[in-house]
Amino acid sequence: MTLNEKTKPRRRKHATRAGSAGSPKLTTHSRTSSHSSQTSNVDSEAEESEVEPRSKRIAQAIANVDLTELKKLARTGAGLQTIRNRRRAWPLLLNFRSLTETLREDGIEKEGEDEEEEAAHPDESQVALDVVRTSLPKSTEYRKDEAATKKRQEQLGTVVCGVLRKYRWLGYYQGFHELALTFLCVFGSERPATEAAKMVALFFVRDAMSSNLDNVLVQLKLLYVVLRVVSPEVHALLSELDVPPFFAISWVLTWFAHDIDSFDDICRIYDFLIVSPPLQIVYMAAALIKRNEAAVLGCDRDFAIVHTTLSQLPRTVDGSGGNQWRHIIADSYYLERDYPATKLQHMGACHLPKSSVVNSFEATWRRLDPVQPRSFVGL
């Protein structure tokens, strides 16, 4: 699926200069050399703590509304494991304001009165164009015949337009429908998928849903700040060839859903990102590149070749059984812990506005009641 011009900004040299003159010089933090051992530690910790089977721990955490335990399970090991578990856990983790009490055990909503129909959003014509080009993810759980695909496409249009009509100040970008498709395939119906997409739009990808992608470009510059710390050789190569970070734009805008085929891997990544800060996807991008730096450094020192190699990195991990993504997730968790968003912005001398989802997340998320979700109309 092709991203439109809005998600393919023109090359800007400054987008690659996170380490330009005048910005604070970075040195490799001592912790970065031990990320591999930390990754092993976090995985082994998850396994060692599992006196009871993970599936049982997930069920107990859901039943007890134990968000601390659910978040830990979503971050570590195999994550939440199954679609059935995600149908029950994601509404809690995403703080659904209306469905937590109305979902049945299988995650499908009960019958209820339809909400009052909202007026059409100006971006719905673009949504319609993208939806008809959308195919279902690769999964044994979904039929991919023409009838099933058409039904999902119709449902997907309903989900995306439901978000835009509810929050008219949000703008659509190509790629948001792929986020929404993941939620639709997990929940199986429009209402809970729309609720999940609303929460992600408001609290995670809002910077991409403004009138421009300026804040997203800053997030991509921060990717280079992280790379300068964890993979200085790759950073030096990208700077030498003046490669902008646009190879990662679909990673950031779709949470890798545009770039990998395995639905199991996509769901595992989403388990992690919905319990993490909004900038976590940037740390994941850095961890992915770090894990594959030999491939990047080993290719010809040519702009097009390096850019192509980087853009195809997610597919080199795709379908590997999830083990590589587990390591990437663990690496990125420690990167965010060592270099949180505020610190990272100071290190790179590139700052997002206070209104950015990156800088406002903690304050706005705390305004929600995690046990009894309530309506959250404005920011």
Side-chain angles (χ1 to χ4, degrees), residues 228-241:
R228 198 169 61 184
V229 177
V230 300
S231 187
E233 289 184 275
V234 170
H235 181 270
L237 174 65
L238 299 181
S239 298
E240 175 190 332
L241 297 178

Side-chain angles (χ1 to χ4, degrees), residues 4-294:
N4 68 7
E5 294 181 358
K6 184 177 179 183
T7 59
K8 287 188 177 178
R10 293 181 180 177
R11 288 178 55 203
R12 302 182 186 179
K13 291 187 177 181
H14 72 270
T16 67
R17 300 300 184 188
S20 58
S23 60
K25 182 178 179 181
L26 300 182
T27 57
T28 303
H29 194 286
S30 61
R31 185 179 291 275
T32 62
S33 62
S34 62
H35 277 311
S36 295
S37 62
Q38 287 178 321
T39 300
S40 300
N41 289 341
V42 75
D43 286 338
S44 61
E45 178 186 343
E47 299 301 326
E48 289 172 4
S49 65
E50 292 187 4
V51 178
E52 296 178 307
R54 173 172 285 257
S55 59
K56 185 174 181 179
R57 293 173 61 202
I58 293 171
Q60 289 176 339
I62 293 170
N64 297 331
V65 195
D66 186 346
L67 297 186
T68 299
E69 177 70 1
L70 265 183
K71 289 176 182 178
K72 179 180 178 182
L73 290 163
R75 279 198 303 266
T76 59
L80 299 176
Q81 295 186 315
T82 67
I83 286 181
R84 172 182 164 82
N85 287 339
R86 292 179 177 110
R87 285 180 175 178
R88 302 174 64 204
W90 282 8
L92 295 170
L93 295 172
L94 282 171
N95 212 340
F96 278 20
R97 62 179 173 81
S98 61
L99 293 181
T100 302
E101 298 299 328
T102 62
L103 288 179
R104 294 201 307 263
E105 185 178 357
D106 60 3
I108 306 301
E109 74 269 23
K110 297 177 182 178
E111 295 294 331
E113 296 183 1
D114 294 334
E115 294 183 4
E116 183 178 349
E117 185 174 352
E118 306 274 355
H121 188 280
D123 292 342
E124 289 188 24
S125 58
Q126 183 61 55
V127 174
L129 292 174
D130 290 343
V131 163
V132 297
R133 295 194 293 262
T134 301
S135 58
L136 297 181
K138 291 183 179 179
S139 173
T140 57
E141 300 201 31
Y142 302 112
R143 292 184 298 112
K144 299 198 73 172
D145 58 74
E146 184 176 350
T149 299
K150 184 176 181 180
K151 178 182 178 181
R152 278 285 185 251
Q153 288 173 341
E154 292 173 352
Q155 291 177 314
L156 180 60
T158 299
V159 171
V160 175
C161 292
V163 175
L164 297 175
R165 292 181 183 187
K166 181 66 176 180
Y167 303 101
R168 303 187 65 81
W169 46 275
L170 294 176
Y172 173 76
Y173 66 85
Q174 276 189 294
F176 181 72
H177 68 295
E178 293 181 270
L179 279 166
L181 178 62
T182 300
F183 295 121
L184 178 59
C185 288
V186 167
F187 288 109
S189 60
E190 296 99 318
R191 190 181 176 202
T194 302
E195 195 70 21
K198 285 178 185 178
M199 298 306 290
V200 170
L202 290 172
F203 293 99
F204 294 91
V205 299
R206 194 175 71 244
D207 283 357
M209 304 187 79
S210 63
S211 58
N212 56 62
L213 288 176
D214 289 351
N215 287 349
V216 176
L217 293 178
V218 177
Q219 292 183 31
L220 292 175
K221 289 175 67 176
L222 293 174
L223 166 60
Y224 276 25
V225 179
V226 182
L227 285 178
R228 198 169 61 184
V229 177
V230 300
S231 187
E233 289 184 275
V234 170
H235 181 270
L237 174 65
L238 299 181
S239 298
E240 175 190 332
L241 297 178
D242 199 19
V243 179
F246 302 146
F247 59 83
I249 195 164
S250 63
W251 306 356
V252 171
L253 295 181
T254 72
W255 288 3
F256 289 111
H258 180 77
D259 300 276
I260 61 180
D261 294 323
S262 169
F263 191 60
D264 289 340
D265 287 352
I266 293 172
C267 288
R268 177 66 195 94
I269 291 168
Y270 277 46
D271 284 344
F272 176 61
L273 291 177
I274 65 173
V275 298
S276 304
L279 199 63
Q280 192 70 54
I281 185 65
V282 169
Y283 299 99
M284 278 198 72
L288 171 64
I289 294 170
K290 172 63 177 176
R291 286 257 166 192
N292 293 274
E293 64 181 350

